[in-house]
């Protein structure tokens, strides 16, 4: 059990509401798990930061994240590309791990979802090599796929799958059309699959994956894919599992890690006190796992699952009418009762 310094970006829109709720729950967790000590270092980034400080990602924020053991980040608004996409590249957070799971109590189209999207996080179209030609009449975006990028994300997916009961990796691409970029991604995934004889391997075109995710989500275990495909499939996966409000994410590299909800800043409900803090709380649970605090992570997930199962504290995105604070109080109570 250890002491950890956590950098915290509260973000924009509903960001401060869901992040504050998560910090509240983590404070409670420290009382329950003896020896766990978290020190929070609040730093600025995002739309409001741009307005107040003239930049969406100040230097002191970057250095605080580098010095911290891990970071929690709320969603940011229009400046997402200049904050999280930039941080992923700067800190080489090459894997975006997004688990999607049905929780009893959460209404969903399909009740048996349990798969993970392992999204390459630093390359592809999100390199943002964009420019215009013909005096602005033609817009071009370059899609960068490297052997190194494919190898490390494929290994991450196989490592992840090897620890799960189903042990299946699905490489998702579109090599029938994008034969050079997706062709390289698929070829490297195939090569890496040979290093993991205990893990089953298959490939699927991204359009077929989008279809199967709705029709047969239970067939998936670990999906590995490129940056933009992973971003889009994640929102679909969240819808199938019940809501973007319960979808967490971990941006991890070999040195640093940032944990954030999959959802955006939802300006339409910001300040109303009804945002679902579950995705950020589950991201904090992933952070605890990454820090090696498996017991604390399990206690936190159990408390969240118990609160969802109870159904009395569901926020409006899940069909309930509870507030962010009511949900948070219920999770804290469940944590206290688990001690
Ligand atoms: N649709 C969810 C959402 O708005 N997520 C924030 C976002 O777009 N983040 C950029 C990314 O994950 O690449």
């Amino acid at each position: 059990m250890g002491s950890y310094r956590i950098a915290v970006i509260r973000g924009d829109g509903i960001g401060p509401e869901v992040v504050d709720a998560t910090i509240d729950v983590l404070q409670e967790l420290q009382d329950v798990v003896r020896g766990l000590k978290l020190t929070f270092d609040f730093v600025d980034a995002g739309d409001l930061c741009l307005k107040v400080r003239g930049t969406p990602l100040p230097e002191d924020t970057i250095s605080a994240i580098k010095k911290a053991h891990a970071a929690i980040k709320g969603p940011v608004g229009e400046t997402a590309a200049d904050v999280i996409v930039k941080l992923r590249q700067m800190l080489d957070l090459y894997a975006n791990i997004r688990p999607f799971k049905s929780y009893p109590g959460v209404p969903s189209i399909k009740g048996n979802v349990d798969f993970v999207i392992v999204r390459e996080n630093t390359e592809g179209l999100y390199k943002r090599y964009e420019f215009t030609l013909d005096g602005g009449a033609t817009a071009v975006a370059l899609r960068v796929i490297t052997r190194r990028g494919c190898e490390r994300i494929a290994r991450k997916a196989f490592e992840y799958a090897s620890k799960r009961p189903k042990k299946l990796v699905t490489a998702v691409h579109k090599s029938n059309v994008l034969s050079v970029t997706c062709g390289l991604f698929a070829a490297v995934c195939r090569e890496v699959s040979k290093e993991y004889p205990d893990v089953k391997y298959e490939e699927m075109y991204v359009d077929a994956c989008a279809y199967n995710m709705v029709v047969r989500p239970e067939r998936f275990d670990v999906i590995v894919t490129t940056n933009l495909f992973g971003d889009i499939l994640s929102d679909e996966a969240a819808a199938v599992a019940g809501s973007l409000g319960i979808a967490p994410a971990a941006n991890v590299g070999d040195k640093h890690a940032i944990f954030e909800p999959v959802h955006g800043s939802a300006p339409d409900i910001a300040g109303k006190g009804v945002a679902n803090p579950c995705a950020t709380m589950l991201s904090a649970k992933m952070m605890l796992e990454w820090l090696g605090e498996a017991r604390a992570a399990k206690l936190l997930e159990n408390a969240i699952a118990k609160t969802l199962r109870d159904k009395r504290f569901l926020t409006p995105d899940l069909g309930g009418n509870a507030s962010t604070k009511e949900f948070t109080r219920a999770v804290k109570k469940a944590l206290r009762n688990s001690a």
Side-chain angles (χ1 to χ4, degrees):
M1 212 60 64
S3 284
Y4 307 98
R5 191 173 166 149
I6 311 298
V8 181
I9 296 172
R10 293 170 79 234
D12 302 308
I14 59 168
E17 296 162 66
V18 294
V19 169
D20 290 354
T22 301
I23 302 296
D24 201 5
V25 156
L26 288 173
Q27 303 277 20
E28 187 74 40
L29 188 65
Q30 291 184 91
D31 294 340
V32 172
V33 181
R34 194 176 305 157
L36 177 68
K37 173 117 187 61
L38 304 170
T39 309
F40 301 106
D41 184 9
F42 289 86
V43 292
D44 301 323
D47 296 7
L48 181 64
C49 178
L50 172 63
K51 213 164 154 186
V52 175
R53 299 188 53 183
T55 168
L57 187 60
E59 279 303 319
D60 53 283
T61 295
I62 300 164
S63 66
I65 295 173
K66 282 184 181 166
K67 278 190 212 137
H69 291 95
I72 293 177
K73 179 194 150 289
V76 300
E78 296 300 312
T79 49
D82 293 319
V83 177
I84 190 62
V85 177
K86 209 163 168 181
L87 280 169
R88 288 169 185 158
Q89 291 183 12
M90 255 178 186
L91 305 177
D92 202 24
L93 308 175
Y94 61 87
N96 195 326
I97 299 176
R98 298 180 157 187
F100 299 93
K101 200 164 148 178
S102 321
Y103 282 95
V106 174
S108 63
I109 335 175
K110 300 270 174 171
N112 46 359
V113 174
D114 186 6
F115 63 85
V116 183
I117 296 182
V118 176
R119 160 186 171 192
E120 201 295 321
N121 219 18
T122 54
E123 306 192 329
L125 283 165
Y126 283 24
K127 266 287 195 222
R128 301 173 72 205
Y129 291 156
E130 294 190 291
F131 52 89
T132 52
L133 301 170
D134 309 330
T138 303
V140 180
L142 298 179
R143 185 171 192 241
V144 181
I145 303 288
T146 66
R147 169 167 282 279
R148 174 176 174 261
C150 297
E151 272 176 7
R152 61 186 187 171
I153 200 65
R155 286 213 173 85
K156 189 63 98 181
F158 278 95
E159 290 298 328
Y160 216 89
S162 65
K163 296 186 192 96
R164 290 170 59 90
K166 209 187 259 181
K167 299 194 191 329
L168 168 67
V169 168
T170 309
V172 171
H173 55 76
K174 189 73 184 173
S175 68
N176 54 337
V177 178
L178 301 171
S179 54
V180 178
T181 50
C182 275
L184 177 60
F185 176 77
V188 174
C189 287
R190 229 168 283 149
E191 277 170 35
V192 171
S193 75
K194 308 253 175 347
E195 296 168 23
Y196 297 86
D198 295 342
V199 179
K200 294 179 282 298
Y201 175 71
E202 64 176 5
E203 292 175 24
M204 197 178 281
Y205 293 136
V206 64
D207 41 352
C209 179
Y211 177 85
N212 280 313
M213 204 174 267
V214 173
V215 177
R216 280 184 289 274
E218 70 286 348
R219 71 172 302 298
F220 292 110
D221 185 24
V222 175
I223 290 172
V224 61
T225 192
T226 49
N227 210 337
L228 176 63
F229 292 166
D231 192 1
I232 296 168
L233 289 175
S234 295
D235 274 37
E236 184 187 355
V240 174
S243 167
L244 264 172
I246 57 165
N251 298 276
V252 298
D254 293 330
K255 276 198 201 149
H256 305 287
I258 301 178
F259 300 82
E260 60 173 352
V262 172
H263 63 71
S265 62
D268 53 324
I269 57 161
K272 295 187 177 157
V274 294
N276 187 350
C278 213
T280 312
M281 290 180 186
L282 287 168
S283 305
K285 172 245 166 190
M286 294 182 81
M287 176 186 79
L288 290 164
E289 280 171 345
W290 191 77
L291 291 170
E293 299 293 343
R295 179 169 168 260
K298 197 71 211 153
L299 284 172
L300 178 55
E301 186 178 23
N302 287 348
I304 295 166
K306 185 169 188 277
T307 308
L308 291 170
R309 209 165 45 238
D310 184 311
K311 291 190 187 167
R312 280 180 300 158
F313 306 103
L314 297 183
T315 45
D317 61 308
L318 302 180
N321 51 22
S323 67
T324 311
K325 287 206 163 97
E326 284 165 334
F327 183 86
T328 306
R329 272 199 293 274
V331 174
K332 285 169 70 181
K333 189 170 170 205
L335 271 177
R336 273 198 302 280
N337 291 342
S338 68

